[in-house]
Structure formats: C-alpha cells, structure tokens
Amino acid sequence: MDRQQARADIGQAVIHTHATDGKAICIRTIRHSDEKRMREGIARLSETSRYLRFFSAQPMPSDKVIEQLLDVDGSDHIAWGAIHMDGANSPAIGAVHAIRDENDPRIGEYSVAIVDDYHSIGIGRMLTTVLLINCAAQGIGTLNIQMLAENRGAIQFIKSIGGEMDQWEAAVCNLTLDVRAALAAIAAKPPVEGITEIFAVLGSYIPR
C-alpha cells in the first residue's frame, strides 16, 4: 500500500469503542468542519490544562492557531479527535496532532490535549495509538515532543511507551519517541477494549 493510498484509506476510518470507565467513544480524523466542536472543547479545558497544552492560559488560542489545528491533510499534518457519544451534543473530549518536520520528513512534532473531565480513562492512550499508526503509514518514524516539566503525567506516559529525554531547558523538556517501538510497547501491555479495537481496525496500515 503506497503512502497516498494509505492516507486516503486511513483518513476515512471511524472507530467506535469505549473508555476504560465504559463511556462510548468515537475516534476519527479532525475535519475543518469541527471548528465549533474544537473551540467548545478548548473552552472546557481548565486553565492548567490550557497552559500545559498551549504554553499559555489564555481562554482561547488565536484564530490563526485554531486554523492551523484544523488544517489537516493526513500526511504533513495528521490529527485525530475523540468524541463522547453519550454526552450532550456529542462533545469533543480530546485531540492529538503530529506535524511533519519541514527539513526531515521522517520526523513529526506531537501534541495532545484531553478535556479535564475525561482524564485517566484511557483517551490519551487511545488517541496516541491511532496517531502512531497513522504516522507509521505516512513514513513518520520519530516524534519530537515538547512539554512543560510540570506536566508529569504526560511525560511519564511518553516514557512508558519508549520516549527518551532529549534535552531539558529551563521549565521545558524535549523528548523523542520512536513510532514503531512505541506501537510495540503499547501492544505488549495488558489488552483493554479501546486499544484492542484500534489495532483491529487500523493494524493493517502499519508497514511490515
């Protein structure tokens, strides 16, 4: 399967599964038509979560940043979102992005945010798994991750799937994550419904 075909096929995938607490979750690629849903999700982030994601506690990122988050092409900018299907108006509850490095197409920059009410129920792990599979299908082999040092939970998660500390500058730490090694680490952990469903639906897109 070539990269163009992989992009077209995987971008159409919609995964219906459950969080670890039983909430019905839909995971799919982010679309430009998701602007309202995205803004509502960002508005529901706590001040701390907005600061950890955007390095700023302003109530809403600029229109330019929102446009960049929605400008997804499935290759140079890969992005997936999670929706709570049992919630009022099916709200967005999390998003994950990888943006390809302009100088080295094998490298991408990773970011993720989960609405506070949905922390600790596996949403971040599911979104990261989908993103890793999509990155592998698109030839991105390494993810660079920049996080504030106080974001201990996210840093520990990245380390748990093979992330390595690259450097530490003041309050910011930089990590690197090998995409294939991270997928292997996730697959080796005790199975949970969401992750098992993701591999069942998208596993064939991982290059052999």
Side-chain angles (χ1 to χ4, degrees):
M1 182 183 299
D2 62 32
R3 184 178 299 178
Q4 184 175 0
Q5 186 62 47
R7 180 172 73 244
D9 290 352
I10 200 170
Q12 300 302 312
V14 178
I15 301 165
H16 290 279
T17 187
H18 294 85
T20 57
D21 68 346
K23 287 184 175 68
I25 304 297
C26 171
I27 297 174
R28 62 165 174 79
T29 53
I30 290 176
R31 308 161 184 165
H32 204 276
S33 59
D34 287 324
E35 179 176 355
K36 181 176 183 291
R37 183 176 265 145
M38 177 179 285
R39 288 182 180 275
E40 290 173 346
I42 292 173
R44 293 178 65 194
L45 293 172
S46 67
E47 183 175 323
T48 297
S49 290
R50 286 197 304 274
Y51 175 63
L52 294 176
R53 169 60 181 88
F54 298 105
F55 292 24
S56 169
Q58 63 179 336
M60 184 64 59
S62 68
D63 290 345
K64 180 179 179 180
V65 170
I66 295 294
E67 179 62 30
Q68 290 171 341
L69 292 173
L70 292 167
D71 187 19
V72 177
D73 64 7
S75 177
D76 293 331
H77 182 182
I78 298 167
W80 291 75
I83 297 168
H84 180 195
M85 299 307 292
D86 293 338
N89 301 316
S90 299
I93 60 174
V96 64
H97 297 256
I99 298 176
R100 196 186 298 269
D101 190 289
E102 293 181 355
N103 299 313
D104 189 339
R106 299 167 299 176
I107 297 174
E109 181 180 350
Y110 164 102
S111 62
V112 65
I114 309 298
V115 172
D116 295 64
D117 291 343
Y118 296 85
H119 285 183
S120 303
I121 58 172
I123 305 301
R125 184 175 294 274
M126 286 191 286
L127 284 173
T128 297
T129 302
V130 170
L131 185 80
L132 289 167
I133 293 173
N134 203 160
C135 285
Q138 290 299 322
I140 297 176
T142 302
L143 292 176
N144 288 335
I145 306 159
Q146 188 176 73
M147 291 182 174
L148 292 170
E150 62 195 87
N151 198 355
R152 297 183 183 87
I155 292 171
Q156 183 57 44
F157 165 62
I158 295 299
K159 286 184 173 180
S160 76
I161 57 173
E164 297 183 356
M165 192 72 70
D166 183 44
Q167 60 184 19
W168 190 296
E169 297 179 0
V172 178
C173 59
N174 295 283
L175 301 98
T176 59
L177 183 67
D178 181 275
V179 169
R180 284 181 175 269
L183 282 170
I186 291 171
K189 294 181 181 297
V192 294
E193 178 180 353
I195 302 299
T196 300
E197 186 71 16
I198 288 166
F199 277 109
V201 174
L202 301 181
S204 62
Y205 293 101
I206 303 173
R208 304 303 176 189

